[in-house]
């Protein structure tokens, strides 16, 4: 069964969310603070996904996101921001969240997003059919190993989240091709994703920090103005 960590200090919201997720077939681990969430995770609670409210007493949801992501690249993270806090969303995505949802949200939307997120992550761990044997994609100094889901640059491993890995996969399979942001969004987040393309830009920014020698003048992930991005291996 899929497990999700729900971190929210307001008991009524947390319980409502937990109840609905349980009805949708999820196992739910609840925490009323970031500190409690970390305690649970450090005591071996493994979850497929985490839903983190930003506004928490003590450590906030963004710091929690950063801490979890530092220790775990596998878990899918959705942050919950208050309405209109655009900068929180962008900051959340740039420090490792995979998606965000704005309060007040509908539970069905939340469930849909969680399902989409874990489907994407699962897709990576399901053994490939013989016909599509995982392979090593090589481009310039980079090797993308689909079996271990690792990226190497000049032989050195670069830590990627599952979402970042999938963007790289898309680039490696379409070298030299200008990819419109909507296509990247669809290719990585799925056809029915209802977030906006800004999430692509934020992930690209994060990827550039990881793979470019000089993220401010990228040589590999090139911007195609007014359109999207192009991979140059
Ligand atoms: Ca809260």
């Amino acid at each position: 069964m899929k497990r999700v960590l729900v971190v929210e200090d307001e008991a009524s919201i947390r319980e409502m969310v937990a109840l609905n997720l349980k009805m949708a077939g999820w196992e739910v681990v609840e925490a009323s603070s970031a500190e409690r969430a970390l305690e649970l995770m450090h005591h071996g609670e493994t979850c497929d996904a985490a839903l983190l409210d930003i506004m928490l007493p003590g450590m906030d949801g963004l710091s929690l996101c950063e801490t979890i992501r530092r220790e775990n690249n596998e878990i899918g993270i959705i942050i919950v921001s208050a309405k209109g806090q655009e900068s929180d969303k962008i900051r959340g995505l740039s420090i490792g969240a995979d998606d965000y949802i704005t309060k007040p949200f509908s539970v069905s939307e939340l469930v849909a997003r969680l399902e989409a997120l874990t489907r994407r992550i699962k897709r990576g761990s399901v053994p490939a059919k013989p016909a599509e044997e995982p392979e090593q994609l090589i481009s310039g100094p980079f090797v993308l190993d689909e079996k271990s889901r690792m990226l190497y640059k000049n032989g050195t491993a670069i830590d990627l989240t599952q979402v970042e890995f999938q963007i790289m996969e898309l680039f490696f399979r379409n070298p030299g091709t200008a990819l419109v942001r909507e296509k990247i969004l669809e290719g990585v987040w799925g056809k029915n994703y209802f977030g906006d393309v800004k999430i692509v830009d934020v992930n690209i920014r994060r990827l550039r920090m990881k793979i470019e020698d000089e993220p401010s003048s990228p040589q590999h992930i090139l911007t195609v103005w007014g359109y999207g991005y192009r991979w140059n291996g």
Side-chain angles (χ1 to χ4, degrees), residues 8-10 53-56 103:
E8 165 65 78
D9 58 314
E10 282 169 68
D53 188 38
I54 291 179
M55 297 289 282
L56 295 168
K103 266 183 181 173

Side-chain angles (χ1 to χ4, degrees), residues 33-52:
S33 70
E35 289 80 2
R36 176 70 186 141
L38 288 175
E39 199 178 288
L40 288 168
M41 294 191 87
H42 289 151
H43 282 87
E45 288 283 1
T46 51
C47 294
D48 303 288
L51 183 71
L52 312 179

Side-chain angles (χ1 to χ4, degrees), residues 76-213:
I77 302 178
I78 299 180
I79 52 168
V80 182
S81 69
K83 205 174 173 204
Q85 300 292 310
E86 194 69 20
S87 57
D88 279 351
K89 296 177 195 167
I90 300 300
R91 183 159 144 63
L93 294 170
S94 66
I95 58 176
D98 297 296
D99 199 358
Y100 59 79
I101 193 163
T102 307
K103 266 183 181 173
F105 52 82
S106 78
V107 172
S108 57
E109 183 184 354
L110 172 63
V111 170
R113 287 190 178 218
L114 270 176
E115 299 282 348
L117 181 60
T118 47
R119 229 180 1 254
R120 290 202 301 273
I121 293 168
K122 275 274 148 52
R123 202 165 62 200
S125 56
V126 165
K129 286 175 236 113
E132 33 185 300
E133 196 77 12
E135 47 185 316
Q136 285 199 336
L137 303 172
I138 299 165
S139 180
F142 297 96
V143 176
L144 194 70
D145 185 349
E146 294 189 310
K147 197 167 175 205
S148 62
R149 298 191 65 82
M150 293 289 292
L151 175 70
Y152 299 89
K153 182 182 183 183
N154 297 318
T156 305
I158 298 174
D159 243 4
L160 299 183
T161 67
Q162 293 300 321
V163 164
E164 291 164 353
F165 184 88
Q166 283 173 30
I167 294 176
M168 290 303 288
E169 220 171 9
L170 200 62
F171 278 142
F172 273 56
R173 292 193 176 282
N174 300 278
T177 310
L179 297 174
V180 68
R181 290 146 91 222
E182 285 78 5
K183 187 186 158 97
I184 299 175
L185 191 70
E186 189 186 307
V188 174
W189 280 267
K191 258 196 163 47
N192 300 314
Y193 182 75
F194 30 111
D196 65 77
V197 291
K198 237 176 266 156
I199 196 170
V200 174
D201 299 330
V202 173
N203 273 279
I204 293 290
R205 204 177 313 151
R206 208 159 66 194
L207 266 172
R208 280 175 172 161
M209 300 291 288
K210 294 185 175 182
I211 70 160
E212 299 281 358
D213 292 335

